[in-house]
Amino acid sequence: MWKSAVQQFPPAYFTMVMATGIISLAAHGLRLEGVANGFFYLNLGLYPLFVLLLLGRVLGFFAGVRAELASHETGASYLALVPATCMVGNQFAVLRGNPVVGEALWVAGALCWGLLLYAFLLGVMTRREKPPLETALTGSWLLLVVATQSLAVLGATLLPGRPPDGTGVFVVLSLFLLGSLLYVMLSTLLFYRLAFGQLSAGAVSAPYWISVGGSAISALAGASLLGALRQTPALADVAGVVKGVSVLFWAVSTWWIPLVFTLRAWHHLRGRPAFAYRPTDWSMVFPLGMYTAATWRLAAALPLPALHVVAAYFIYVALLAWGLTLGAMLYHLARGAGRLAAGPPNEPGRRPAVAARPG
């Protein structure tokens, strides 16, 4: 059972850590300390467990991991490790005032970002046979954006403890701008696919909600960076541009939410598929938490109290989605454990085995 769990462990489960971490940080900003601390302790168990499962899969089943990482359809999902690492780092830095662990996790996230991002991109670019855009490009590609901006968010959180020479601010600003460019490129292609391609079940699946998360985390990164930019003479002139771009990304997130929700509802009403839990369902929870955190941070950075009201109510939407997804996951795992305990079913036409009696 454990060998099967390791071999089939989907890296999409790191989106659960991402969702739990960002809701924890948003709750802290909104002074819901019980939720913030509870989700922090939960991530202390989830994150190392998932890292061990992924590490076991890499060491024990490397050929399968390499094939998935070089695939257009599945490779980008491995980048979920980076924002999961950075979210836990943010929790340590913000909730526990521990920048040392935060810096260590930033370094770990940056190393994973460089390794996974280039391995994935080089793998798909150098493939001899490539699938068409309609099947190859999925919402999980936006994890390139989320991974890059998560480094910018954690870096901005850690800037107050860095030397005041502007180097750290420059690095974080570069990550923010790179993530912003990646979002513009990928969201354009994804919108093209939605508008001009055939809408299948995969076209409106859970990973497409990362379109909301990608723009929201870009808004959060920009808003988190504004204070450090204003205090850095060499980069102070850029602060106005970053503020405008942050507002733009928040507006894009707000625009995406009703669109992806309606597409998802349309798919269920039209095809009436059975509701079944998948690890990628956490991709719908993370953007809701990220939108809450980005709205709260932007409200403080502008400042604009009206946005704070939006965040104060929207966090309950994120908490509801998190609770429903957790319940679906536990039900799915319980059913799987029950089937394993029952053993394989009897073959048709074969009498069940009878235990031998003494004598």
Side-chain angles (χ1 to χ4, degrees):
M1 182 178 66
W2 283 107
K3 180 179 179 181
S4 176
V6 171
Q7 185 177 7
Q8 300 175 11
F9 174 72
Y13 262 118
F14 282 105
T15 55
M16 182 182 181
V17 177
M18 293 159 54
T20 304
I22 195 58
I23 291 177
S24 172
L25 294 167
H28 173 74
L30 295 168
R31 303 190 180 186
L32 300 174
E33 297 300 337
V35 175
N37 290 319
F39 279 30
F40 170 68
Y41 291 122
L42 180 59
N43 259 359
L44 287 184
L46 292 175
Y47 177 71
L49 173 63
F50 293 163
V51 168
L52 288 175
L53 287 171
L54 181 61
L55 184 60
R57 189 179 176 198
V58 171
L59 296 177
F61 309 95
F62 181 73
V65 172
R66 182 175 59 183
E68 284 190 356
L69 190 56
S71 167
H72 289 75
E73 294 84 357
T74 60
S77 63
Y78 282 86
L79 281 160
L81 172 63
V82 178
T85 302
C86 291
M87 286 303 160
V88 176
N90 268 295
Q91 287 181 286
F92 271 103
V94 175
L95 301 180
R96 291 296 175 268
N98 192 334
V100 176
V101 176
E103 289 178 0
L105 289 173
W106 189 93
V107 172
L111 292 175
C112 292
W113 177 82
L115 176 64
L116 294 172
L117 184 140
Y118 285 105
F120 167 62
L121 290 179
L122 290 173
V124 297
M125 289 178 179
T126 57
R127 284 184 63 175
R128 183 168 300 178
E129 297 181 1
K130 300 181 182 180
L133 178 67
E134 290 74 14
T135 59
L137 187 66
T138 68
S140 63
W141 277 65
L142 284 167
L143 282 169
L144 276 74
V145 177
V146 176
T148 305
Q149 296 290 27
S150 67
L151 288 170
V153 171
L154 179 54
T157 301
L158 298 171
L159 280 176
R162 305 299 301 167
D165 59 359
T167 304
V169 181
F170 180 79
V171 171
V172 175
L173 175 63
S174 299
L175 288 167
F176 166 72
L177 294 175
L178 175 59
S180 302
L181 178 61
L182 288 172
Y183 183 83
V184 171
M185 293 191 301
L186 292 173
S187 62
T188 301
L189 291 173
L190 288 169
F191 185 82
Y192 169 81
R193 181 188 172 183
L194 289 173
F196 298 99
Q198 186 67 33
L199 276 181
S200 60
V204 291
S205 59
Y208 267 85
W209 282 71
I210 306 178
S211 56
V212 179
S215 51
I217 195 173
S218 298
L220 176 62
S224 302
L225 185 58
L226 282 175
L229 284 173
R230 291 165 178 158
Q231 297 174 10
T232 306
L235 299 171
D237 294 340
V238 187
V241 177
V242 173
K243 178 191 285 188
V245 172
S246 300
V247 174
L248 171 63
F249 279 125
W250 182 87
V252 171
S253 295
T254 307
W255 174 81
W256 266 119
I257 290 174
L259 182 60
V260 293
F261 177 82
T262 304
L263 284 174
R264 187 72 171 171
W266 168 82
H267 168 65
H268 279 280
L269 291 174
R270 178 172 174 261
R272 299 190 182 279
F275 285 95
Y277 168 79
R278 296 177 180 84
T280 53
D281 289 346
W282 289 102
S283 301
M284 294 189 291
V285 183
F286 166 73
L288 300 176
M290 182 55 70
Y291 182 77
T292 305
T295 303
W296 169 79
R297 175 65 71 181
L298 196 61
L302 290 179
L304 193 60
L307 285 182
H308 189 276
V309 176
V310 176
Y313 283 99
F314 206 84
I315 191 170
Y316 295 105
V317 178
L319 286 170
L320 176 62
W322 187 92
L324 291 174
T325 307
L326 178 67
M329 183 190 77
L330 294 176
Y331 177 75
H332 170 79
L333 294 177
R335 287 193 62 186
R339 286 194 296 267
L340 285 174
N346 294 316
E347 296 178 6
R350 181 178 178 180
R351 297 178 61 187
V354 179
R357 294 191 298 268

